[in-house]
Structure formats: structure tokens, C-alpha cells
Amino acid sequence: MALLFRSFFATAVSGQFMVNSQGLPTNGVQGFMKHLFMAAEHADPTHIIICWDMGSKTFRNEVYQDYKSNRNAPPVELIPQFDLAKEVAGRFNLSNVGVSGYEADDCIGTLAKEYKGERKVSVVSGDQDLLQLLDEGIEIMLLQKGFGNYKTYTKNGFVEEKGITPEQFIDVKALMGDTSDGYPGVKGIGEKTAMKLIQEHGDIEGILQNLSSLTPSQKKKIEADLDMLHLSRKLAEIHCQVPLDVKLSECVWNQVSSEHLDVVEEMELKVLRRYLLGSNVMLPISG
């Protein structure tokens, strides 16, 4: 979903919605599929699974009703592309996964943790929240500006760069909050202070056990927002036990064939067609 939104707004800002003859905007879908295929070229996977949010409400809204309530409604040109993106991916024999009541991140986390022991797992997204999933066998390919540019994190690389573990990153998020997701954490504590506190005390419980060693300002802020701190911790953590029914044998990645180009022509995905014909994900066209 993060890649679909990114693709939509990249061209929507100049009014390029790429409307087809049926009056359906396709800019987000075409960009999303291009991101996906470029990631496949980069990572050379054996299997691909695409995880989606399934509606705006999840179990986190039951915990905190204002979760993500600060987000604007999606533009009218984007709304029909939610289903279209899944349809196009499905026509390329790619597996779409999503469970009502959970976020795509939860599905990603569940799958990554399930398969990390038997194969290498690469997660592609523009969402830094997924860094908490880093583990032995799990890497995160964070999309940078443009197409095909990634900052790839491993667990060891993350620890070396940030000075905390992926699990501790959840506690950092709990302290600093997330304006995008609409939970405040502890008011007045930003990323820099949150990182420093977790580096020094290990986790939130360690901070609470050593409140007397904090500055008077830090102690006052945390004590004033203690309930929200614990709540933010629950909201920040990716839930890795989603009830998924995924058969890995049905998620095998095969390169794009001339048969798939028929789908592109049918849906008038001209930008995607140009990319595929010049890419390494396209099998040679015989004849």
C-alpha cells in the first residue's frame, strides 16, 4: 500500500493520472507494478507475496480510537486503483494477501518470521516501521527516492548504524510517537532523546525503573504520559501472528511472459509496457 500511494502521488502532483479509455486512472497501479518488478530484478526472488491493508479499521482502532484518524481521505482518482492494483497483480500470477482487522505490516511480519528459518526473506517497502522485523534471515529493502534505489538493512547493519536492536526500535517509536499513525507517545520527547534513553536503559521498563536518573524534565514528561507510553508501545509493535492461509507453492515467481503483455495491452498500461519490454523480468519473446 505504501508503494501504491507513493506511485500515485509521484505523478498526481502534475495531474498525470493516466486515465484509460474506460475513464479509470492507472498512474498508481503502473508505478506500483514497476516498483515491484524492479525489486524482483534487484533481489532475484524465488517467491513473491504482496501484502495489503484491508480497510481503514484494524484491531489498533479498538485499542486507540484515534489511531490514523488524522489521515485525509484518499483522492478520488486513487480510490478505484486499490482494487485495480490487486487485479493487475493477480493477472500476473502474483499472490495478494490481506486479512480484515490487520494491517499489511502485520501480514508481512507474520510471513517474514514464519519463513526466515528456511529461506532468506527480503521485505520491500518505503515504510521504516518495518525495520523492527529485522532478524537473522530477514532483510529490509527501504525504497529511496525514485525507482530501484534501496537502502538495504540487515539486523547487524541496523544495530551498527543505530546503536539499538530492531526490538528496541519499537520502544523508541513508543516514546517518540508517530504523527503519521496518529499516536503521540510521550509529548516533548523526540527521536533523538528517545534513542538516547533506550540506548542507556535498554527498554521502556528499564527507563521506568530508573526515572530518578533522568533529567527533571524527562522524568516529568514520562510520568505525565505514562498511560499513553504503554498504549503507544502496543500500537507501534507489528503483530506477527496474523491468521494467514498462504501456500508458498502458489507464490512462486516466474518472469513476465508475452502472455502477460496481453494483460498490459487490455488494461492500457502503456508506461508499464515500455518498462517491461526493456527490463530483465521479461522473458524473451519468441517469433
Side-chain angles (χ1 to χ4, degrees):
M1 197 66 81
L3 298 182
L4 180 63
F5 269 81
R6 176 183 290 221
S7 301
F8 174 83
F9 286 109
T11 52
V13 67
S14 57
Q16 300 178 54
F17 297 111
M18 304 175 192
V19 179
N20 64 19
S21 60
Q22 283 77 48
L24 199 61
T26 64
N27 64 320
V29 173
Q30 295 197 73
F32 163 71
M33 293 300 294
K34 185 177 176 182
H35 276 305
L36 190 153
F37 289 134
M38 290 191 104
E41 281 192 78
H42 181 85
D44 192 23
T46 57
H47 301 73
I48 294 178
I49 303 174
I50 308 169
C51 296
W52 297 99
D53 295 329
M54 302 295 287
S56 59
K57 300 295 183 183
T58 70
F59 73 92
R60 291 178 178 84
N61 296 100
E62 298 174 8
V63 175
Y64 182 55
Q65 64 178 12
D66 290 331
Y67 183 71
K68 291 190 176 181
S69 64
N70 58 330
R71 296 192 177 186
N72 295 325
V76 294
E77 295 88 355
L78 176 57
I79 292 172
Q81 297 191 61
F82 294 143
D83 288 336
L84 183 62
K86 296 172 193 172
E87 180 184 350
V88 172
R91 294 284 295 275
F92 277 86
N93 300 320
L94 294 164
S95 297
N96 293 303
V97 171
V99 178
S100 180
Y102 297 94
E103 295 183 36
D105 288 3
D106 300 318
C107 296
I108 292 170
T110 299
L111 291 166
K113 296 296 185 180
E114 179 178 354
Y115 290 113
K116 66 169 184 166
E118 60 185 76
R119 60 187 70 242
K120 176 185 175 183
V121 177
S122 299
V123 178
V124 182
S125 180
D127 187 354
Q128 293 197 35
D129 289 352
L130 290 163
L131 291 171
Q132 66 181 266
L133 297 177
L134 285 165
D135 206 339
E136 301 302 326
I138 301 175
E139 68 174 17
I140 308 295
M141 293 167 51
L142 274 186
L143 186 65
Q144 306 298 295
K145 188 175 181 180
F147 284 90
N149 299 315
Y150 312 98
K151 182 170 184 179
T152 301
Y153 282 94
T154 62
K155 181 178 180 179
N156 289 341
F158 177 86
V159 172
E160 186 176 326
E161 178 181 323
K162 305 290 187 181
I164 58 171
T165 66
E167 293 80 10
Q168 288 175 315
F169 184 55
I170 306 171
D171 286 26
V172 170
K173 293 281 294 184
L175 281 162
M176 63 183 280
D178 189 320
T179 54
S180 175
D181 286 342
Y183 61 89
V186 176
K187 292 177 184 176
I189 290 187
E191 181 177 7
K192 186 176 179 180
T193 300
M195 289 283 286
K196 184 173 183 290
L197 289 173
I198 295 301
Q199 287 168 349
E200 290 177 351
H201 300 285
D203 55 20
I204 288 173
E205 289 307 313
I207 293 171
L208 297 180
Q209 290 169 10
N210 293 279
L211 283 175
S212 59
S213 68
L214 306 186
T215 68
S217 175
Q218 291 170 348
K219 182 174 182 292
K220 182 179 179 181
K221 290 171 182 175
I222 289 173
E223 288 180 332
D225 263 339
L226 197 54
D227 289 342
M228 183 53 70
L229 173 59
H230 289 302
L231 180 59
S232 294
R233 178 63 171 73
K234 292 179 182 178
L235 297 171
E237 185 173 15
I238 293 174
H239 182 82
C240 295
Q241 294 180 324
V242 178
L244 293 172
D245 182 20
V246 176
K247 295 182 176 65
L248 205 59
S249 60
E250 297 176 357
C251 305
V252 174
W253 162 238
N254 295 306
Q255 287 178 280
V256 178
S257 69
S258 56
E259 178 182 320
H260 295 122
L261 279 185
D262 294 338
V263 177
V264 173
E265 296 290 352
E266 176 189 331
M267 297 188 171
E268 303 172 40
L269 307 176
K270 298 177 182 178
V271 173
L272 184 58
R273 182 180 188 277
R274 283 198 300 272
Y275 164 70
L276 289 174
L277 289 175
S279 74
N280 292 322
V281 298
M282 185 80 200
L283 289 170
I285 301 175
S286 59

